[in-house]
Amino acid sequence: MGTISIIGSGGMAAAIGGLAAKAGHTVEVTSRDAAKARALAEQVGADARTGTFGVAPVGDIVILAVPYSAVLDVVKQYGEKLAGKLIIDITNPIKSDFTGFLTPEDSFGAQEIAKVAPANATIVKAFNTQNAQVLAAGLIGGHPLDVFIAGDGAQAKARVSAFVKSLGLRPMDTGQLSMARTLEHACMLWLGLMTHSIKHTNFSIRVSLLG
């Protein structure tokens, strides 16, 4: 097991951090709000540590667990301190009223992050179709949750897949980073189902294998 650095202190940071600590990973939590970072590290337990916002993360895997509205500024602030890191983008660039996306029509969230990240950082999309409460539970009906992954480079995706498996979840490779656009639309699908059909958040999008 390795060290995982999480930038953010909200529900998804807590869910992923809790699963990672339980799986035996060392967790570093960093936030612009140092008090929130300390509180989350205490919640995660298992000797989770608190990092300093803007300082090079300890982990080789860095999880961006901040709202999309803030993520580009966060990545720019870290700058070259993210050089060589494997960055997991869990964000969704969706407008607050769910009517569309915050990205240019010819782009998508993960691509916008890649534009401002160091050239030798690797961006992999993952976890963006999961709800924090459901993710923390880890199983639905006795089945592991599906975590859809998109990224360029088999080695990077293999590392993310291994991390996902270590959390007791099922990684599902969807293709190159360009597929992150589709995964961001899948989150919009989740929001549509939650708003108009299911009426609650206690569900997950998954793949069912027949036969």
Side-chain angles (χ1 to χ4, degrees):
M1 300 299 174
T3 299
I4 308 300
S5 293
I6 301 175
I7 301 176
S9 56
M12 286 296 289
I16 296 173
L19 290 174
K22 184 178 179 180
H25 297 281
T26 299
V27 177
E28 178 189 49
V29 180
T30 305
S31 172
R32 280 176 168 158
D33 188 324
K36 287 184 178 180
R38 287 193 297 270
L40 180 53
E42 290 177 3
Q43 176 184 333
V44 168
D47 297 323
R49 63 186 68 174
T50 305
T52 301
F53 187 84
V55 173
V58 174
D60 290 329
I61 295 179
V62 178
I63 299 173
L64 297 176
V66 297
Y68 180 79
S69 58
V71 74
L72 299 183
D73 286 340
V74 167
V75 174
K76 289 176 184 176
Q77 183 166 344
Y78 273 85
E80 289 302 313
K81 296 180 181 70
L82 295 175
K85 300 292 186 180
L86 173 53
I87 299 173
I88 299 180
D89 165 33
I90 74 169
T91 68
N92 285 297
I94 296 174
K95 294 179 180 179
S96 59
D97 60 3
F98 307 158
T99 59
F101 294 86
L102 298 169
T103 47
E105 289 186 5
D106 62 347
S107 189
F108 51 96
Q111 181 169 273
E112 293 301 302
I113 292 171
K115 288 178 181 178
V116 299
N120 64 345
T122 303
I123 311 297
V124 174
K125 191 81 172 187
F127 294 101
N128 76 297
T129 63
Q130 294 295 347
N131 166 269
Q133 178 182 352
V134 174
L135 183 62
L139 295 173
I140 289 185
H143 298 286
L145 300 179
D146 285 342
V147 175
F148 301 111
I149 296 170
D152 297 332
Q155 184 177 5
K157 286 192 290 186
R159 289 175 62 196
V160 175
S161 293
F163 172 62
V164 169
K165 285 182 180 178
S166 76
L167 305 186
L169 310 173
R170 183 170 70 163
M172 299 293 285
D173 187 349
T174 67
Q176 295 185 323
L177 189 63
S178 58
M179 281 296 293
R181 180 199 298 270
T182 301
L183 295 183
E184 292 165 8
H185 280 261
C187 180
M188 185 71 87
L189 170 64
W190 188 95
L191 290 168
L193 290 169
M194 182 268 292
T195 303
H196 300 287
S197 178
I198 298 175
K199 305 293 187 179
H200 61 75
T201 61
N202 192 33
F203 72 99
S204 175
I205 297 174
R206 73 181 308 271
V207 175
S208 294
L209 302 177
L210 304 179

